[in-house]
Amino acid sequence: MGIVVQKYGGSSVADAAGIKRVAQRIVNTKRDGHDVVVVVSAMGDTTDELRDLAQQVSPLPPPRELDMLLTSGERISMALVAMAIAQLGHTAKSFTGSQAGVITDSVHGRAKIIDISPGRIEAAIAEGAIAIVAGFQGVSQDTKDITTLGRGASDTTAVALAAALGAEVCEIYSDVDGVFTADPRIVKTARKLDSVSTEEMLEMAASGAKILHLRCVEYARRHQMPVHVRSSFSQKEGTWIVPTPEGEQPVEQAIISGVAHDRSEAKITVVGVPDKVGEAARIFEALAAVEVNLDMVVQNVSAAATGLTDISFTLPRADGTQAMAALAKIQDEVGFDKLLYDDQVGKISLIGAGMRSHPGVTAKFFSALASAGVNIGMISTSEIRISVIVDESQVDEGVRAAHTAFDLDSTEVEAVVYGGTGR
Amino acid sequence: MGIVVQKYGGSSVADAAGIKRVAQRIVNTKRDGHDVVVVVSAMGDTTDELRDLAQQVSPLPPPRELDMLLTSGERISMALVAMAIAQLGHTAKSFTGSQAGVITDSVHGRAKIIDISPGRIEAAIAEGAIAIVAGFQGVSQDTKDITTLGRGASDTTAVALAAALGAEVCEIYSDVDGVFTADPRIVKTARKLDSVSTEEMLEMAASGAKILHLRCVEYARRHQMPVHVRSSFSQKEGTWIVPTPEGEQPVEQAIISGVAHDRSEAKITVVGVPDKVGEAARIFEALAAVEVNLDMVVQNVSAAATGLTDISFTLPRADGTQAMAALAKIQDEVGFDKLLYDDQVGKISLIGAGMRSHPGVTAKFFSALASAGVNIGMISTSEIRISVIVDESQVDEGVRAAHTAFDLDSTEVEAVVYGGTGR
C-alpha cells in the first residue's frame, strides 16, 4: 500500500484529548499497512493568540518576525502529536516546514510554495516512522528566512506534500463531515456531497465556502491528487474531491453541486469614468500597485449622451481603505466623478459542472432570488459558476431560495455537523 | 566600539510590558554605538507550561520531540523582542539556535555546544541590524535535529556566542542585582559583589548558587570572556565576572567572596566495602554506566581489623533512585554490606580565591558551624573552596554563621532584590 497524507486542523488538535484521538487515528492508518505522513495546524486558537501577543508589542509588526512568531504554533502541536503516537508504541518524527523541504518565495505572511524537497520525510518513512509535518510554513529559497503561507494554508501544505511524495490520497480532517450543498448553518436541509470535481471545488472555495483553502484545491487540480475531506470526530466517509482526467467529463452528474456564499467582500463603484481607451486600465493599475486582489468586476455600458461609464468591483473588505485611498489619489488624473464604497454586500454563487450544457440554469437562479425578494446588484459567471452580489442582509434568504429551487434539499432527517460549534 | 552580547532571562521578558522595557534597553545600547546581539529565554513560565502539556500527552515523551516542543518558547519571545525593537524604529532580526549556527552534539535535553558558526548573525550586524538569538537551543551536527542544552543554558548560549563573535562583554540580565556574598533570602545582610573572578564564580555555581549556569561560567573562563551579571529592572551596575589572566593573581583581594548553599543533593553511603584494589572503581563504573554525575566523594580510612571501608558520595536527588538501583545490582559481585540513602542533606560552601594562602580559613569555618550547633557530615575542599554536607534543616543557620564569621555582613541598610518575587 502507498503513502497516505493526513491533515488535521486546529479544532482536531485543540487539546490533549484531541491530540490523543488524532494519534490513535494515525496509528490505525499505519496499522492498516499505509505509510503515513501527517500535516498539523496549530492547536485551537493558538495562532490568533500569538497574533494578539504581537499586537500588544507592536501594532504593525515586521512580517519576517510575525512569521517567526506564528510558526511556533505548529511546532507545539506537531511535537505533541509525535509524543502521543510514541505513547501508542509507534515511532513518529516531527519536522518543521523548513525541515520538511517546503521551499517558498520570500513574501512573508502569504508566501507561495516554489518547491517541495521532502528528503527527510522520505528518510523517516523508509525507517518505518510516521512523519509529522508543520502546516502553514516554509523557508524562503532566497533569504533562508521562515515564511508562512497565509491563513488556512495547512491544507495547501498537505496537498503539495502529497503530490511531492506521490501519495495515493490526501485526507483533510476538520470538525465537519465533508462538503455540503450549502452552509448547514443557513440551510437546514443541506446535504453532504459524496464527491465533487476539483473544478467545482475550486469555484466553491473561490466563492466563499470555507471548507478547503483555495490554493489547496488549485494544487490538487494541477497535480491530479485525490482529496478526501472528512471529520476527525467520526469514522464516516466524507467528500471526495476527484480530479477530472484531462479531456474527460463525467457522463452523468447532478447539474448543480451546491450554493456558496461569502460575506467578506466590499463593493467599490467608480462613478462617471470618461469612456476612453485606457481609463479603466489606469484604475486597475492603481489598485494593482497597492496589491489589492479584485474579485468581480463589472463595467456598465456607457451612456452615449454623456460619454461616461461606471465601473464596479468587489474586493476583500480588509483591503477597502487602502483601495479607496489609492483611487482617490488618481481622481483628478483620470477625471471620474466620485467613489462609492459599500461593505454591506454579500455574494451568492451557484456551482455545478453541468451548468454549461443546461441553458435554463441562470434564469431559474434569478427567478428563485426574485421570488424571495432578493435584489441582484452585480452578476459574474464562469463555465461552472454564477455569482451575484446582493445586500448582505439578504444572503441567507437567497441561499435558501436557490438551494430549494435546484432540488438540493435533503429528504433525510439527520443532524448535520458544520463548524462554529467549537468542536 | 565593539559587540555587546546581552542575555535576558524569562523573568525579564515575562509579558508585553517586560518585552518593551527590554527592547528599550537594547536600543539604548545600540544608540550608545555598540553592535548588539541579544540572547533571550522563553517568556516567564512558558517552558514549564510546555513541559506540562507534554506530560498530558505522554508521561515519558521522546527526547527529540520534547526538544522540538520546548524550543518554541524562545521562538515566541525572540520574535516579540524583535517586533518591540522595530516599534522603536530600529531593525532587529530574530534567529533560532539553528539559524544562529549553534551546533551541538545529539544528546537531546542536555546537548553540548560543539561549535558556533554565527555567519547569519555577523551578516545581520553588518547590515546594521540588532540580532536576537534564541537561547537554550541548537541543532545537532549529525542528525540536523533540534536540540536543547538543558535548563538554564541560555546563559551558556550567550557566552558561547559572545566568544565566537569576539564581543567585548557578555551581559547577563535577570531579576537580581548581581552576585551576592550569600543568598539574601537567608542572609539579610548579604552584600552584592562588584566583581568576582571566573574561578570563584565557577565554584559558586558548582556549589549551588543559581545566579549563573555552571557551563556558562566554564565557557567564560575558557574563552576569557568578561561577564556582567545585572538586573534588567534597574540601571545599577551589577557584578563583573572577571577572567584571571593566565599565571596572574589579583594582588590584593578579599579572602572570602561568599557562602553558597545547595539543597538539591542526596547522599549515598556504601557500607562495608572490601578494602581491595579495584573495588571502588567497580562502584564508580556502575554509576558512570547509568550517567549519574557525582559531586563530593569521601572514602573513610579502612579499619585495619575488618579490612572494610565505607564510601560516601553526593549526587543530584533526581538521580537517586537510578543510582541506588545500579549499586544494588553489583552488591553480590563487589561484596559490600549495605547501601544507605539520605536525601535530607544540604551543602554549605565557602568560596574565596585567597583561601589557599590563609591556613586559618578551614578552622574558622568549622568553628563557626560548631558554635551554631551545625554538625558536619562530609567535607571536601578545592584550592578556593571548602564544602561541607550538613543536615538539610541546618543549612540556613550554617550559612548565616559562616557569613558573619568571615565579616561578609553588609553595614549598609539597603533593600536587596533577590529572586522569588516573581519580578
Side-chain angles (χ1 to χ4, degrees):
Chain A
M1 273 186 275
I3 297 171
V4 171
V5 174
Q6 300 184 326
K7 181 258 169 175
Y8 293 94
S11 59
S12 298
V13 293
D15 52 22
I19 285 168
K20 288 179 189 174
R21 195 189 60 244
V22 159
Q24 186 61 62
R25 192 181 270 269
I26 294 166
V27 164
N28 290 347
T29 310
K30 175 78 176 168
R31 287 202 183 126
D32 287 347
H34 296 281
D35 288 325
V36 189
V37 175
V38 176
V39 174
V40 290
S41 301
M43 295 170 72
D45 300 322
T46 305
T47 305
D48 288 335
E49 287 163 14
L50 290 170
R51 274 185 207 278
D52 286 351
L53 207 48
Q55 282 297 312
Q56 288 175 39
V57 168
S58 166
L60 204 71
R64 177 189 187 277
E65 300 305 322
L66 190 59
D67 279 359
M68 186 66 97
L69 178 72
L70 296 181
T71 49
S72 60
E74 290 78 35
R75 197 179 188 94
I76 292 170
S77 56
M78 72 187 193
L80 291 171
V81 169
M83 290 175 192
I85 291 172
Q87 186 61 19
L88 295 172
H90 283 257
T91 304
K93 281 187 165 185
S94 66
F95 297 95
T96 64
S98 171
Q99 290 176 336
V102 180
I103 316 293
T104 73
D105 62 24
S106 304
V107 185
H108 287 288
R110 47 182 174 143
K112 289 207 167 45
I113 296 175
I114 293 174
D115 193 16
I116 305 256
S117 313
R120 294 186 69 175
I121 306 300
E122 287 164 340
I125 292 173
E127 287 169 17
I130 296 165
I132 317 291
V133 178
F136 174 69
Q137 56 179 257
V139 61
S140 156
Q141 188 169 45
D142 296 335
T143 64
K144 309 297 175 210
D145 286 329
I146 302 304
T147 54
T148 64
L149 313 175
R151 191 169 279 268
S154 290
D155 294 351
T156 307
T157 303
V159 173
L161 204 51
L165 293 167
E168 54 188 45
V169 61
C170 180
E171 299 180 337
I172 307 279
Y173 287 91
S174 70
D175 55 1
V176 303
D177 283 341
V179 180
F180 282 75
T181 49
D183 185 340
R185 285 171 298 190
I186 293 176
V187 182
K188 299 295 172 207
T189 52
R191 281 187 295 113
K192 189 188 76 184
L193 296 163
D194 291 334
S195 77
V196 65
S197 73
T198 315
E199 288 71 20
E200 288 166 294
M201 195 64 228
L202 202 56
E203 292 284 8
M204 283 189 183
S207 304
K210 302 209 169 46
I211 186 85
L212 272 187
H213 200 239
L214 177 61
R215 279 157 59 196
C216 150
V217 187
E218 285 172 349
Y219 228 102
R221 184 172 64 164
R222 196 176 327 135
H223 295 275
Q224 299 274 305
M225 174 56 58
V227 174
H228 188 183
V229 177
R230 56 197 302 196
S231 168
S232 72
F233 295 84
S234 84
Q235 298 297 328
K236 278 188 275 189
E237 282 273 301
T239 301
W240 283 83
I241 321 280
V242 191
T244 316
E246 291 291 332
E248 200 180 308
Q249 265 318 108
V251 176
E252 196 168 28
Q253 79 170 65
I255 295 177
I256 301 301
S257 297
V259 185
H261 70 277
D262 189 352
R263 286 181 226 263
S264 69
E265 298 195 337
K267 181 174 82 165
I268 291 178
T269 303
V270 189
V271 179
V273 181
D275 194 6
K276 290 185 299 190
V277 172
E279 295 304 310
R282 285 162 74 185
I283 287 170
F284 294 114
E285 276 161 20
L287 294 169
V290 292
E291 300 202 31
V292 169
N293 281 320
L294 303 186
D295 180 25
M296 291 166 62
V297 180
V298 171
Q299 179 171 350
N300 293 352
V301 174
S302 159
T306 63
L308 297 176
T309 186
D310 297 344
I311 296 175
S312 293
F313 57 89
T314 61
L315 75 171
R317 280 182 202 172
D319 293 343
T321 315
Q322 207 172 8
M324 287 294 279
L327 292 175
K329 265 193 208 159
I330 58 163
Q331 178 162 11
D332 292 343
E333 183 197 330
V334 176
F336 58 80
D337 277 356
K338 59 179 174 182
L339 295 169
L340 301 177
Y341 184 70
D342 184 1
D343 62 3
Q344 303 293 305
V345 299
K347 184 169 68 168
I348 303 174
S349 302
L350 193 69
I351 289 127
M355 197 180 283
R356 59 184 117 183
S357 54
H358 289 72
V361 168
T362 308
K364 192 194 263 191
F365 182 32
F366 290 0
S367 147
L369 292 175
S371 303
V374 176
N375 191 44
I376 297 172
M378 287 169 70
I379 301 169
S380 127
T381 60
S382 81
E383 289 206 344
I384 62 170
R385 177 186 52 79
I386 309 172
S387 297
V388 296
I389 295 295
V390 302
D391 193 90
E392 188 177 5
S393 65
Q394 295 191 304
V395 166
D396 289 8
E397 291 146 83
V399 168
R400 280 192 285 261
H403 199 266
T404 302
F406 286 95
D407 295 325
L408 294 171
D409 293 345
S410 169
T411 50
E412 296 169 52
V413 178
E414 62 171 320
V416 168
V417 176
Y418 194 95
T421 61
R423 293 216 313 182
Chain B
M1 272 186 275
I3 296 170
V4 171
V5 174
Q6 300 186 325
K7 181 260 171 176
Y8 293 94
S11 60
S12 299
V13 293
D15 53 21
I19 284 168
K20 289 179 187 175
R21 194 189 60 243
V22 159
Q24 186 61 62
R25 192 180 271 270
I26 294 165
V27 165
N28 290 348
T29 310
K30 176 77 177 168
R31 287 200 184 128
D32 287 346
H34 296 282
D35 287 325
V36 189
V37 175
V38 176
V39 174
V40 290
S41 300
M43 294 169 73
D45 300 322
T46 305
T47 305
D48 288 335
E49 286 162 17
L50 289 170
R51 273 185 206 279
D52 287 349
L53 208 48
Q55 282 298 311
Q56 288 176 38
V57 168
S58 168
L60 205 71
R64 177 189 187 277
E65 300 305 323
L66 191 59
D67 279 359
M68 186 66 97
L69 179 73
L70 297 182
T71 48
S72 60
E74 290 78 35
R75 197 177 187 95
I76 293 171
S77 56
M78 73 186 192
L80 291 172
V81 169
M83 290 175 193
I85 291 172
Q87 186 61 19
L88 296 173
H90 283 256
T91 305
K93 281 187 163 185
S94 65
F95 297 94
T96 63
S98 171
Q99 291 176 333
V102 180
I103 315 294
T104 73
D105 62 24
S106 305
V107 185
H108 287 289
R110 47 181 175 143
K112 290 207 165 47
I113 296 175
I114 294 174
D115 193 17
I116 306 255
S117 311
R120 293 186 69 175
I121 306 300
E122 287 163 339
I125 292 173
E127 289 169 14
I130 295 165
I132 318 291
V133 178
F136 174 68
Q137 55 179 260
V139 62
S140 155
Q141 187 169 47
D142 296 335
T143 64
K144 309 297 177 211
D145 285 330
I146 303 302
T147 54
T148 64
L149 312 177
R151 192 168 278 268
S154 289
D155 293 351
T156 307
T157 303
V159 173
L161 203 52
L165 292 167
E168 56 188 43
V169 60
C170 180
E171 300 181 336
I172 308 279
Y173 288 91
S174 71
D175 55 0
V176 303
D177 284 341
V179 181
F180 283 74
T181 50
D183 184 340
R185 287 170 298 191
I186 293 177
V187 182
K188 299 295 173 208
T189 52
R191 281 186 296 111
K192 190 187 75 186
L193 296 164
D194 291 332
S195 77
V196 65
S197 74
T198 316
E199 288 69 21
E200 286 166 294
M201 194 63 228
L202 203 57
E203 293 283 9
M204 284 190 183
S207 303
K210 299 204 172 49
I211 187 84
L212 273 188
H213 200 241
L214 179 60
R215 278 157 60 195
C216 149
V217 187
E218 286 172 348
Y219 228 103
R221 183 172 65 164
R222 197 174 329 133
H223 295 276
Q224 299 274 304
M225 174 56 57
V227 174
H228 188 184
V229 176
R230 55 197 302 197
S231 169
S232 72
F233 294 85
S234 82
Q235 297 297 328
K236 278 188 276 189
E237 283 273 303
T239 301
W240 283 82
I241 322 280
V242 192
T244 316
E246 291 291 334
E248 200 179 306
Q249 266 318 108
V251 177
E252 195 165 30
Q253 79 171 64
I255 295 178
I256 301 300
S257 297
V259 185
H261 70 278
D262 190 351
R263 288 181 225 265
S264 69
E265 296 194 339
K267 182 174 82 167
I268 291 178
T269 302
V270 190
V271 179
V273 181
D275 195 7
K276 293 186 299 192
V277 172
E279 294 305 310
R282 285 161 75 185
I283 287 171
F284 294 114
E285 276 160 18
L287 293 169
V290 291
E291 301 203 29
V292 169
N293 281 320
L294 303 186
D295 179 25
M296 291 166 62
V297 180
V298 172
Q299 178 169 352
N300 293 352
V301 175
S302 161
T306 61
L308 297 176
T309 184
D310 298 342
I311 297 176
S312 294
F313 58 88
T314 61
L315 73 173
R317 281 182 202 173
D319 293 344
T321 316
Q322 206 173 8
M324 287 294 279
L327 292 175
K329 267 194 208 157
I330 58 163
Q331 178 161 12
D332 291 345
E333 183 196 332
V334 177
F336 58 79
D337 277 356
K338 58 179 174 179
L339 295 169
L340 301 177
Y341 183 70
D342 184 0
D343 61 4
Q344 304 292 306
V345 298
K347 185 169 67 169
I348 303 174
S349 302
L350 194 67
I351 290 126
M355 196 180 284
R356 64 183 115 184
S357 52
H358 291 73
V361 169
T362 310
K364 192 194 265 191
F365 182 32
F366 291 177
S367 148
L369 293 175
S371 302
V374 176
N375 191 43
I376 298 172
M378 288 169 71
I379 301 169
S380 130
T381 60
S382 81
E383 290 208 342
I384 62 170
R385 177 187 51 78
I386 308 171
S387 297
V388 296
I389 295 294
V390 301
D391 193 89
E392 188 178 5
S393 65
Q394 295 191 304
V395 167
D396 289 8
E397 292 147 82
V399 168
R400 281 192 285 263
H403 199 265
T404 302
F406 286 94
D407 294 325
L408 295 170
D409 294 345
S410 170
T411 51
E412 298 169 51
V413 179
E414 63 170 319
V416 168
V417 177
Y418 195 93
T421 61
R423 292 216 316 183

